[in-house]
Amino acid sequence: MSASSGSSEKFSVTPRWNWKLISVGLVLLAILIRLGFWQLDRAEEKRQLLSFIEHQQSLPAISFAAVDSTENGEQLAYRQMQMRGEFDSSHYWLVDNKVFRGKVGYEVVAPFFTSDGEAVLVNRGWVAAPPHREVYPDVSFPESEVEIRGRFIPVSNNKMVRNLGSSAMAGQWPIRIQQLAISDAQQALQSESLINHSLPPEILQLSPNDPSALEMVWRDVNVSASKHQGYAVQWFSMAVVLVIALIVANVRVHKKSLSQQMIDGEQPSGADEPQSNNNKKLGIAQKGSA
């Protein structure tokens, strides 16, 4: 009884288009797909950048005095460079909000005056911030002429970060800033009559094993290429889930009973086979009576 009842039921799927929902879903789908491809593009950019850095650092170190002023920044970027001269221990910048091993501190950027009379900004590394905000850390400097070695890196600024303190640089040293701007640093040094020429657009990042280096862990990229790929997979997965949700939301699955199938003029499920068996039995009976 229950078997015949179950076999007489039939499932049907009919679309029910909700165009408002579909429109919103398609917009979201386009955004998710675009974000996925954007993350793939970012991953490729990081791979190319790391490959370029590896190539530049594999080249022999060069002397800053031998650098041709006509060379562009791309040729010098991430090149190992060495120079001899003195730090200016009275004028330097503290780049704020730098975290090292879970502690908040500053990166110390100081002008370095070479033996040839040139000036270069040097990032010496990280120092811990004192407990009180109004107290600046005590930074020690080499007292005599030294030879330093590091790599030239381009300076990139985040336009969303307001460079507090850069407008009132002169006369208050060290200067705490949110990010380094070469133009502001040059203006501050010129106002102190320390330089009368332009600074290089790059900054020298000291090698970790240099005697003048402070604590440091240089990271060439904040987010690796593999992480960008992982983010892309997440966006594409969300797009797939959205497509499935749209399909489910725009179809109606309903069950028809035997009586409903007969009203709709449909052949009830399982009705063909019993009829065929009855016909066979009838034929056998007729042959037997003949």
Side-chain angles (χ1 to χ4, degrees), residues 144-165:
S144 58
E145 188 176 82
V146 293
E147 184 173 271
I148 60 174
R149 181 168 179 160
R151 60 179 186 175
F152 252 5
I153 63 168
V155 177
S156 58
N157 291 329
N158 185 350
K159 295 181 180 179
M160 301 298 294
V161 176
R162 185 183 176 190
N163 201 11
L164 301 176

Side-chain angles (χ1 to χ4, degrees), residues 40-93:
L40 291 179
D41 291 340
R42 294 287 291 159
E44 182 60 26
E45 289 175 5
K46 295 295 176 65
R47 278 192 291 267
Q48 292 180 3
L49 175 60
L50 292 175
S51 176
F52 173 74
I53 293 174
E54 184 179 356
H55 167 74
Q56 291 292 90
Q57 294 190 157
S58 66
L59 299 175
I62 58 176
S63 171
F64 181 72
V67 173
D68 188 350
S69 60
T70 60
E71 288 188 88
N72 58 44
E74 185 175 351
Q75 290 175 308
L76 298 177
Y78 300 99
R79 281 293 302 269
Q80 294 292 326
M81 195 167 297
Q82 56 191 24
M83 59 187 73
R84 189 168 188 84
E86 294 183 354
F87 284 102
D88 187 340
S89 59
S90 301
H91 304 86
Y92 60 91
W93 294 266

Side-chain angles (χ1 to χ4, degrees), residues 116-259:
D116 301 321
E118 298 291 333
V120 180
L121 295 181
V122 177
N123 190 332
R124 297 184 58 205
W126 181 89
V127 292
H132 300 287
R133 179 73 175 172
E134 63 274 8
V135 178
Y136 286 175
D138 185 18
V139 182
S140 60
F141 282 84
E143 297 180 357
S144 58
E145 188 176 82
V146 293
E147 184 173 271
I148 60 174
R149 181 168 179 160
R151 60 179 186 175
F152 252 5
I153 63 168
V155 177
S156 58
N157 291 329
N158 185 350
K159 295 181 180 179
M160 301 298 294
V161 176
R162 185 183 176 190
N163 201 11
L164 301 176
S166 61
S167 60
M169 281 182 152
Q172 299 179 357
W173 299 90
I175 300 170
R176 180 166 51 202
I177 57 176
Q178 302 303 309
Q179 62 181 357
L180 179 69
I182 297 293
S183 57
D184 290 338
Q186 179 175 306
Q187 182 181 356
L189 295 177
Q190 288 175 341
S191 66
E192 297 282 341
S193 301
L194 296 173
I195 60 172
N196 56 7
H197 52 78
S198 299
L199 291 171
E202 297 83 20
I203 184 173
L204 186 75
Q205 204 176 60
L206 283 185
S207 299
N209 57 353
D210 191 280
S212 300
L214 303 171
E215 293 187 277
M216 63 181 66
V217 173
W218 302 128
R219 290 187 299 177
D220 295 321
V221 294
N222 293 325
V223 181
S224 65
S226 59
K227 280 193 175 182
H228 281 295
Q229 288 179 320
Y231 295 149
V233 171
Q234 292 179 1
W235 289 122
F236 289 138
S237 299
M238 292 173 65
V240 172
V241 172
L242 178 60
V243 170
I244 296 174
L246 286 175
I247 294 174
V248 172
N250 284 275
V251 297
R252 178 181 298 170
V253 180
H254 50 90
K255 182 169 60 176
K256 289 185 178 182
S257 63
L258 176 60
S259 58

